[in-house]
Amino acid sequence: MVTLSREDIVRLCERVEGAQTRAYAIPKLTDEYPNMTMADGYAIQTELRRRFIEQGHALIGWKAGLTSRAKMQQMGVEVPSIGFLTDRMARPESSSITVSDLVHPRVECEVAFVTKADLSGPGCTAEQVLAATDYVLPAIEIIDSRFSGFKFDLESVVADNGSSARFVSGGRARYPDELDLRTLGVVLEKNGEIVEMGAAAEVLGHPAEAVAMLVNILHDLGETLPAGSFVMSGGITAAVAVQPGDHINARFQELGSISIRFEQ
Ligand code: OOG
Ligand code: MG
């Protein structure tokens, strides 16, 4: 249930938008509003999406977050969440990504889906997601929690659009029926050393389950997932902090690899 007034939603949205666009840390929103609900978090996120679209950003898809045990443990939460993705967040493969416009940048490996049919909830299933999937491809998400000292709770992170900041897709696109997405392995290398590895089943048993969950949350927000959407299904491993000078390489079994660099 939404408990915040329209005025508070707009004010908190402006606070999050300022932190995102000018790259500074803010206290978690629940410090000021301890009774804030998940619905309040989504109301702030929806207002942020409305403002970005009004400013000319294009909505290109959505992301599921906190869908793996590793991520839930890392962030100390137990429920998955969703956030929106815009054209301004996309960066090319093999590019150099600046960190001076980010607060706490961290990288994670995800399986991304591109859809060819509309999907809607309630009751959307992984089978329906796979039938509506045009292809899957690998992605690196660069998340950026805007909250000071990583003090964090689900309501605040939902309001902060699930820490969405940048993402890079690339590698090799594949039809999902040619792969076993549960056993698909990924290795994350930082400066030539392996720092994380895992299998895509870490994401709710199957990444398509995460997309189904996302579609069902969209239904609660009064939205559907149109054909042609780009959807990231959630970090497979814990997220890894990056600094200027770092080189990241994500190697996905069957889907190729993606490299990026970070600079000041
Ligand atoms: C929240 C974002 C979670 C994922 O893939 O699990 C996320 C965070 O960790 O700040 O994007
Ligand atoms: Mg993610």
Side-chain angles (χ1 to χ4, degrees):
M1 202 185 60
V2 176
T3 68
L4 297 177
S5 66
R6 177 74 196 146
E7 211 171 48
D8 286 340
I9 290 168
V10 169
R11 204 166 57 79
L12 291 173
C13 175
E14 283 170 354
R15 192 184 297 176
V16 168
E17 186 183 9
Q20 291 196 3
T21 52
R22 293 191 290 281
Y24 53 77
I26 52 174
K28 60 183 171 34
L29 306 183
T30 44
D31 287 356
E32 190 183 348
Y33 291 92
N35 298 324
M36 216 180 111
T37 63
M38 281 286 276
D40 290 325
Y42 280 113
I44 297 164
Q45 184 190 117
T46 300
E47 175 64 13
L48 186 68
R49 172 161 49 99
R50 197 192 62 73
R51 291 168 81 104
F52 282 158
I53 289 170
E54 197 179 77
Q55 291 163 26
H57 305 205
L59 181 71
I60 61 160
W62 292 85
K63 61 169 256 184
L66 308 168
T67 46
S68 72
R69 267 184 305 253
K71 287 286 316 189
M72 289 188 191
Q73 269 166 17
Q74 184 176 34
M75 306 316 293
V77 300
E78 277 161 20
V79 192
S81 63
I82 70 168
F84 64 86
L85 300 174
T86 73
D87 57 340
R88 309 281 173 100
M89 301 175 187
R91 292 290 179 276
E93 194 173 4
S94 303
S95 64
S96 191
I97 294 176
T98 51
V99 295
S100 49
D101 49 354
L102 300 171
V103 183
H104 298 124
R106 290 176 301 151
V107 294
E108 49 191 26
C109 305
E110 311 204 6
V111 177
F113 290 66
V114 175
T115 60
K116 60 180 177 188
D118 298 350
L119 281 166
S120 57
C124 180
T125 64
E127 289 68 37
Q128 287 169 351
V129 168
L130 289 170
T133 297
D134 196 357
Y135 52 88
V136 294
L137 73 173
I140 296 179
E141 178 170 28
I142 299 102
I143 49 171
D144 189 27
S145 174
R146 267 60 59 158
F147 299 112
S148 349
F150 280 111
K151 292 232 170 41
F152 187 99
D153 54 63
L154 200 51
E155 292 78 12
S156 299
V157 84
V158 164
D160 185 28
N161 194 24
S163 312
S164 300
R166 311 277 181 263
F167 63 86
V168 180
S169 67
R172 206 146 90 78
R174 296 287 302 268
Y175 296 117
D177 55 4
E178 292 176 353
L179 304 169
D180 181 353
L181 280 177
R182 289 168 308 144
T183 56
L184 190 96
V186 58
V187 173
L188 180 63
E189 293 173 349
K190 177 170 152 179
N191 305 324
E193 309 248 332
I194 295 177
V195 285
E196 291 286 341
M197 55 183 136
E202 283 294 331
V203 175
L204 297 182
H206 192 300
E209 291 287 355
V211 180
M213 178 216 73
L214 179 145
V215 170
N216 292 326
I217 295 179
L218 279 179
H219 173 81
D220 296 338
L221 302 182
E223 302 281 345
T224 63
L225 187 71
S229 294
F230 174 82
V231 183
M232 292 196 298
S233 56
I236 295 168
T237 62
V240 172
V242 287
Q243 295 180 337
D246 284 343
H247 176 262
I248 293 290
N249 188 26
R251 298 176 190 275
F252 290 75
Q253 200 182 349
E254 316 271 11
L255 299 176
S257 51
I258 301 177
S259 294
I260 44 175
R261 280 174 297 119
F262 288 90
E263 63 178 36
Q264 190 56 44

